[in-house]
Amino acid sequence: GAMGASSSVLPRDVLGEYQELTFLTKQEILLAYKRFSELLPKEERENACSARVPKSQILTLPELRASPFQHRICRVFSTSDNGDDSMSFEDFLDMLSVFSNSATSDIKSHYAFRIFDFDDDGTLDKKDLEKLVNCLTGQGEESRLNAAEMEQLIRNILEEADIDKDGTINLSEFQHIVSRSPDFTSSFKIVL
């Protein structure tokens, strides 16, 4: 369009496809596209579908700005090859889809597990749980747990969740505790 006024719109067939692949409505997908485009420099907006938004821009989104897990969220949803945690439009949609109220609790807990798995090794071990607790209690000195409190809390979590007693929590153990314990799930709404 003249002067690029026709802010690029998603082709109809693509829209239908995204609707099938996500928990989002057409409206939500179009809004996501608009939001994603606005994170790009003007000259890249025409081709938003094939552009990548840098992590620094993704972190400005209200959904992430307040999250103690913002860096992990970028890491888990980014498909970037070079580890810069940048996002394509499809990455962005996947993230919004999992955040959406229509996403199933199974999907939410699956992604929460990946976000909490700080070393990406497929299980939550003591180190992951320590990082998780530190994220949840905030970084302030006064809210931080001391070593003994941390040790005790992690023992309690493992006592509760580590069904096969191997010292770590795997995905199915994690999903089990989430499904069984609504208060645990609500504390965890902060992520998703």
Side-chain angles (χ1 to χ4, degrees), residues 105-120:
S105 57
D106 256 14
I107 295 271
K108 283 185 184 286
S109 58
H110 172 81
Y111 278 96
F113 180 83
R114 289 184 53 195
I115 288 163
F116 297 162
D117 178 15
F118 288 87
D119 57 9
D120 299 310

PDB file of all heavy atoms in Angstrom, residues 105-120:
ATOM      1  N   SER A 105      -4.627 -27.696  31.190  1.00  0.00           N
ATOM      2  CA  SER A 105      -3.678 -27.690  32.309  1.00  0.00           C
ATOM      3  C   SER A 105      -2.501 -28.623  32.026  1.00  0.00           C
ATOM      4  O   SER A 105      -1.402 -28.402  32.514  1.00  0.00           O
ATOM      5  CB  SER A 105      -4.383 -28.074  33.610  1.00  0.00           C
ATOM      6  OG  SER A 105      -4.984 -29.323  33.468  1.00  0.00           O
ATOM      7  N   ASP A 106      -2.734 -29.652  31.221  1.00  0.00           N
ATOM      8  CA  ASP A 106      -1.632 -30.545  30.823  1.00  0.00           C
ATOM      9  C   ASP A 106      -0.566 -29.803  30.040  1.00  0.00           C
ATOM     10  O   ASP A 106       0.630 -29.981  30.259  1.00  0.00           O
ATOM     11  CB  ASP A 106      -2.156 -31.691  29.944  1.00  0.00           C
ATOM     12  CG  ASP A 106      -2.228 -32.978  30.729  1.00  0.00           C
ATOM     13  OD1 ASP A 106      -2.139 -32.916  31.972  1.00  0.00           O
ATOM     14  OD2 ASP A 106      -2.366 -34.041  30.097  1.00  0.00           O
ATOM     15  N   ILE A 107      -1.023 -28.985  29.097  1.00  0.00           N
ATOM     16  CA  ILE A 107      -0.093 -28.195  28.283  1.00  0.00           C
ATOM     17  C   ILE A 107       0.630 -27.189  29.177  1.00  0.00           C
ATOM     18  O   ILE A 107       1.849 -27.043  29.114  1.00  0.00           O
ATOM     19  CB  ILE A 107      -0.855 -27.445  27.167  1.00  0.00           C
ATOM     20  CG1 ILE A 107      -1.468 -28.437  26.183  1.00  0.00           C
ATOM     21  CG2 ILE A 107       0.061 -26.449  26.473  1.00  0.00           C
ATOM     22  CD1 ILE A 107      -0.585 -28.837  25.036  1.00  0.00           C
ATOM     23  N   LYS A 108      -0.126 -26.510  30.029  1.00  0.00           N
ATOM     24  CA  LYS A 108       0.477 -25.512  30.903  1.00  0.00           C
ATOM     25  C   LYS A 108       1.534 -26.146  31.811  1.00  0.00           C
ATOM     26  O   LYS A 108       2.625 -25.614  31.966  1.00  0.00           O
ATOM     27  CB  LYS A 108      -0.591 -24.807  31.752  1.00  0.00           C
ATOM     28  CG  LYS A 108      -1.385 -23.766  30.975  1.00  0.00           C
ATOM     29  CD  LYS A 108      -2.347 -23.031  31.908  1.00  0.00           C
ATOM     30  CE  LYS A 108      -3.225 -22.051  31.154  1.00  0.00           C
ATOM     31  NZ  LYS A 108      -2.536 -20.833  30.714  1.00  0.00           N
ATOM     32  N   SER A 109       1.209 -27.298  32.387  1.00  0.00           N
ATOM     33  CA  SER A 109       2.164 -27.909  33.312  1.00  0.00           C
ATOM     34  C   SER A 109       3.384 -28.445  32.569  1.00  0.00           C
ATOM     35  O   SER A 109       4.502 -28.402  33.073  1.00  0.00           O
ATOM     36  CB  SER A 109       1.509 -29.007  34.154  1.00  0.00           C
ATOM     37  OG  SER A 109       0.959 -30.005  33.337  1.00  0.00           O
ATOM     38  N   HIS A 110       3.181 -28.913  31.338  1.00  0.00           N
ATOM     39  CA  HIS A 110       4.300 -29.375  30.518  1.00  0.00           C
ATOM     40  C   HIS A 110       5.297 -28.229  30.288  1.00  0.00           C
ATOM     41  O   HIS A 110       6.512 -28.401  30.440  1.00  0.00           O
ATOM     42  CB  HIS A 110       3.781 -29.900  29.179  1.00  0.00           C
ATOM     43  CG  HIS A 110       4.856 -30.216  28.193  1.00  0.00           C
ATOM     44  ND1 HIS A 110       5.565 -31.398  28.215  1.00  0.00           N
ATOM     45  CD2 HIS A 110       5.376 -29.490  27.171  1.00  0.00           C
ATOM     46  CE1 HIS A 110       6.466 -31.389  27.238  1.00  0.00           C
ATOM     47  NE2 HIS A 110       6.370 -30.250  26.593  1.00  0.00           N
ATOM     48  N   TYR A 111       4.782 -27.054  29.941  1.00  0.00           N
ATOM     49  CA  TYR A 111       5.667 -25.915  29.686  1.00  0.00           C
ATOM     50  C   TYR A 111       6.251 -25.364  30.983  1.00  0.00           C
ATOM     51  O   TYR A 111       7.412 -24.960  31.015  1.00  0.00           O
ATOM     52  CB  TYR A 111       4.959 -24.826  28.881  1.00  0.00           C
ATOM     53  CG  TYR A 111       4.982 -25.144  27.411  1.00  0.00           C
ATOM     54  CD1 TYR A 111       3.916 -25.771  26.795  1.00  0.00           C
ATOM     55  CD2 TYR A 111       6.115 -24.853  26.646  1.00  0.00           C
ATOM     56  CE1 TYR A 111       3.959 -26.085  25.437  1.00  0.00           C
ATOM     57  CE2 TYR A 111       6.168 -25.167  25.291  1.00  0.00           C
ATOM     58  CZ  TYR A 111       5.089 -25.784  24.698  1.00  0.00           C
ATOM     59  OH  TYR A 111       5.149 -26.102  23.370  1.00  0.00           O
ATOM     60  N   ALA A 112       5.455 -25.355  32.036  1.00  0.00           N
ATOM     61  CA  ALA A 112       5.983 -24.896  33.320  1.00  0.00           C
ATOM     62  C   ALA A 112       7.167 -25.774  33.725  1.00  0.00           C
ATOM     63  O   ALA A 112       8.198 -25.280  34.177  1.00  0.00           O
ATOM     64  CB  ALA A 112       4.892 -24.944  34.393  1.00  0.00           C
ATOM     65  N   PHE A 113       7.019 -27.084  33.518  1.00  0.00           N
ATOM     66  CA  PHE A 113       8.107 -28.008  33.827  1.00  0.00           C
ATOM     67  C   PHE A 113       9.363 -27.631  33.050  1.00  0.00           C
ATOM     68  O   PHE A 113      10.461 -27.558  33.604  1.00  0.00           O
ATOM     69  CB  PHE A 113       7.688 -29.440  33.494  1.00  0.00           C
ATOM     70  CG  PHE A 113       8.744 -30.468  33.790  1.00  0.00           C
ATOM     71  CD1 PHE A 113       8.890 -30.974  35.070  1.00  0.00           C
ATOM     72  CD2 PHE A 113       9.594 -30.937  32.791  1.00  0.00           C
ATOM     73  CE1 PHE A 113       9.874 -31.926  35.357  1.00  0.00           C
ATOM     74  CE2 PHE A 113      10.578 -31.880  33.070  1.00  0.00           C
ATOM     75  CZ  PHE A 113      10.711 -32.378  34.357  1.00  0.00           C
ATOM     76  N   ARG A 114       9.197 -27.361  31.756  1.00  0.00           N
ATOM     77  CA  ARG A 114      10.366 -27.001  30.941  1.00  0.00           C
ATOM     78  C   ARG A 114      10.981 -25.685  31.393  1.00  0.00           C
ATOM     79  O   ARG A 114      12.199 -25.509  31.365  1.00  0.00           O
ATOM     80  CB  ARG A 114       9.969 -26.940  29.464  1.00  0.00           C
ATOM     81  CG  ARG A 114       9.701 -28.326  28.892  1.00  0.00           C
ATOM     82  CD  ARG A 114       9.393 -28.270  27.414  1.00  0.00           C
ATOM     83  NE  ARG A 114      10.408 -27.566  26.638  1.00  0.00           N
ATOM     84  CZ  ARG A 114      10.219 -27.139  25.393  1.00  0.00           C
ATOM     85  NH1 ARG A 114       9.058 -27.320  24.795  1.00  0.00           N
ATOM     86  NH2 ARG A 114      11.187 -26.513  24.750  1.00  0.00           N
ATOM     87  N   ILE A 115      10.121 -24.749  31.812  1.00  0.00           N
ATOM     88  CA  ILE A 115      10.615 -23.451  32.268  1.00  0.00           C
ATOM     89  C   ILE A 115      11.398 -23.610  33.582  1.00  0.00           C
ATOM     90  O   ILE A 115      12.446 -22.993  33.774  1.00  0.00           O
ATOM     91  CB  ILE A 115       9.431 -22.464  32.429  1.00  0.00           C
ATOM     92  CG1 ILE A 115       8.925 -22.054  31.039  1.00  0.00           C
ATOM     93  CG2 ILE A 115       9.826 -21.237  33.245  1.00  0.00           C
ATOM     94  CD1 ILE A 115       7.541 -21.434  31.025  1.00  0.00           C
ATOM     95  N   PHE A 116      10.921 -24.493  34.453  1.00  0.00           N
ATOM     96  CA  PHE A 116      11.585 -24.711  35.748  1.00  0.00           C
ATOM     97  C   PHE A 116      12.840 -25.562  35.625  1.00  0.00           C
ATOM     98  O   PHE A 116      13.646 -25.630  36.551  1.00  0.00           O
ATOM     99  CB  PHE A 116      10.626 -25.407  36.735  1.00  0.00           C
ATOM    100  CG  PHE A 116       9.399 -24.604  37.072  1.00  0.00           C
ATOM    101  CD1 PHE A 116       8.294 -25.226  37.639  1.00  0.00           C
ATOM    102  CD2 PHE A 116       9.335 -23.234  36.841  1.00  0.00           C
ATOM    103  CE1 PHE A 116       7.155 -24.495  37.973  1.00  0.00           C
ATOM    104  CE2 PHE A 116       8.198 -22.492  37.160  1.00  0.00           C
ATOM    105  CZ  PHE A 116       7.104 -23.127  37.733  1.00  0.00           C
ATOM    106  N   ASP A 117      12.980 -26.257  34.497  1.00  0.00           N
ATOM    107  CA  ASP A 117      14.139 -27.132  34.284  1.00  0.00           C
ATOM    108  C   ASP A 117      15.302 -26.273  33.773  1.00  0.00           C
ATOM    109  O   ASP A 117      15.634 -26.288  32.597  1.00  0.00           O
ATOM    110  CB  ASP A 117      13.750 -28.228  33.277  1.00  0.00           C
ATOM    111  CG  ASP A 117      14.908 -29.159  32.962  1.00  0.00           C
ATOM    112  OD1 ASP A 117      15.917 -29.157  33.708  1.00  0.00           O
ATOM    113  OD2 ASP A 117      14.809 -29.892  31.954  1.00  0.00           O
ATOM    114  N   PHE A 118      15.914 -25.539  34.696  1.00  0.00           N
ATOM    115  CA  PHE A 118      16.872 -24.495  34.320  1.00  0.00           C
ATOM    116  C   PHE A 118      18.047 -25.010  33.502  1.00  0.00           C
ATOM    117  O   PHE A 118      18.572 -24.304  32.658  1.00  0.00           O
ATOM    118  CB  PHE A 118      17.386 -23.770  35.578  1.00  0.00           C
ATOM    119  CG  PHE A 118      16.361 -22.876  36.216  1.00  0.00           C
ATOM    120  CD1 PHE A 118      15.457 -23.383  37.141  1.00  0.00           C
ATOM    121  CD2 PHE A 118      16.282 -21.524  35.886  1.00  0.00           C
ATOM    122  CE1 PHE A 118      14.500 -22.563  37.727  1.00  0.00           C
ATOM    123  CE2 PHE A 118      15.328 -20.698  36.468  1.00  0.00           C
ATOM    124  CZ  PHE A 118      14.434 -21.218  37.391  1.00  0.00           C
ATOM    125  N   ASP A 119      18.478 -26.246  33.749  1.00  0.00           N
ATOM    126  CA  ASP A 119      19.623 -26.760  32.977  1.00  0.00           C
ATOM    127  C   ASP A 119      19.184 -27.606  31.782  1.00  0.00           C
ATOM    128  O   ASP A 119      20.005 -28.256  31.138  1.00  0.00           O
ATOM    129  CB  ASP A 119      20.600 -27.528  33.872  1.00  0.00           C
ATOM    130  CG  ASP A 119      19.923 -28.685  34.599  1.00  0.00           C
ATOM    131  OD1 ASP A 119      18.744 -28.998  34.283  1.00  0.00           O
ATOM    132  OD2 ASP A 119      20.553 -29.276  35.496  1.00  0.00           O
ATOM    133  N   ASP A 120      17.891 -27.613  31.499  1.00  0.00           N
ATOM    134  CA  ASP A 120      17.358 -28.289  30.302  1.00  0.00           C
ATOM    135  C   ASP A 120      17.761 -29.761  30.204  1.00  0.00           C
ATOM    136  O   ASP A 120      18.009 -30.255  29.112  1.00  0.00           O
ATOM    137  CB  ASP A 120      17.828 -27.569  29.011  1.00  0.00           C
ATOM    138  CG  ASP A 120      17.336 -26.127  28.947  1.00  0.00           C
ATOM    139  OD1 ASP A 120      16.135 -25.902  29.143  1.00  0.00           O
ATOM    140  OD2 ASP A 120      18.164 -25.228  28.718  1.00  0.00           O
TER     141      ASP A 120
END
